Amino acid sequence: MIDGRGRTENATASAAGNLAVEDFPGGLKSCLEAVLMVADRPLQTGELARVLGVGEPLVEEALERLADSYEVSRRGFELRRGVRGWRFASRAEYEPVVRAFVTDGQAARLSQAALEALAVIAYRQPVTRARVAAVRGVNSDGVIRSLTVRGLVREDGTDPETRAALLVTTDAFLEYMGLDSLGQLPSLAPFLPDVGEVIGDGV
């Protein structure tokens, strides 16, 4: 059931604890922004409604209003709805600006963090962002975003259990490494920790 304020009956069991979304600065819209900002994959309306303990119609309306407000104000990002759900993304027209920042010139070299993430993806592909982070022991969203903008990695399908995007390397990666195929990668895989050992069973 949904109460007078649009919250589901089991709102107290939500990830927001005993606090209603109205108790947070900015209310529902700000709560949605906060969750979507840290999500490593698109989120469905139902997921957001469950987490925040709010009825789906209210969440849907709030998301649409947010998307419209970003469009009207011509922000550099947008709230995009796709087949897999809602997510924040840079607007297509700003791609040259984003690419210039990430690459900092065509001759820019990859950072140590980017090289580490790229190695994990290359040897473990297809692999999720969460597993890359588990192997590295640190959040890797930023460097993966950089690798994606450079065209070295891309998303290819989703994990059947978590529905998180799967990452693989691209042909540009092979060119960058001077390889003709992934079969020519140096045999470093045995030296990488097994994902199961790092993140444990059941993850």
Side-chain angles (χ1 to χ4, degrees), residues 5-187:
R5 293 200 295 177
R7 289 180 294 169
T8 56
E9 196 172 51
N10 63 345
T12 55
S14 72
N18 294 322
L19 295 177
V21 292
E22 292 84 357
D23 294 328
F24 293 90
L28 176 58
K29 289 183 180 180
S30 294
C31 288
L32 289 170
E33 288 177 324
V35 173
L36 288 166
M37 190 66 69
V38 300
D40 64 353
R41 61 179 175 82
L43 298 176
Q44 297 286 347
T45 303
E47 293 180 273
L48 292 165
R50 184 180 67 256
V51 168
L52 298 177
V54 179
E56 284 192 43
L58 283 182
V59 172
E60 183 76 15
E61 180 183 1
L63 289 168
E64 291 178 351
R65 287 180 178 274
L66 279 173
D68 290 342
S69 68
Y70 299 146
E71 177 66 30
V72 171
S73 59
R74 302 305 301 167
R75 306 295 290 269
F77 62 91
E78 63 182 345
L79 181 54
R80 186 180 303 167
R81 182 179 195 173
V83 176
R84 295 192 294 125
W86 294 85
R87 68 184 178 90
F88 281 121
S90 297
R91 290 188 181 280
E93 55 262 45
Y94 295 104
E95 189 275 337
V97 177
V98 176
R99 180 177 294 277
F101 169 74
V102 174
T103 61
D104 191 22
Q106 293 299 315
R109 304 176 67 178
L110 291 176
S111 66
Q112 182 62 37
L115 287 172
E116 290 176 1
L118 186 58
V120 175
I121 295 171
Y123 284 102
R124 297 292 187 184
Q125 61 184 304
V127 63
T128 63
R129 287 174 173 77
R131 289 180 179 174
V132 174
V135 173
R136 294 190 63 231
V138 64
N139 185 291
S140 302
D141 288 349
V143 290
I144 290 175
R145 192 175 300 114
S146 298
L147 294 171
T148 302
V149 172
R150 286 175 179 264
L152 298 176
V153 302
R154 63 181 176 84
E155 294 184 358
D156 184 23
T158 58
D159 183 274
E161 295 183 359
T162 66
R163 293 192 296 171
L166 292 171
L167 300 169
V168 298
T169 54
T170 65
D171 290 341
F173 163 76
L174 295 176
E175 295 178 8
Y176 182 87
M177 298 296 294
L179 304 174
D180 294 325
S181 69
L182 292 175
Q184 294 181 345
L185 281 170
S187 56

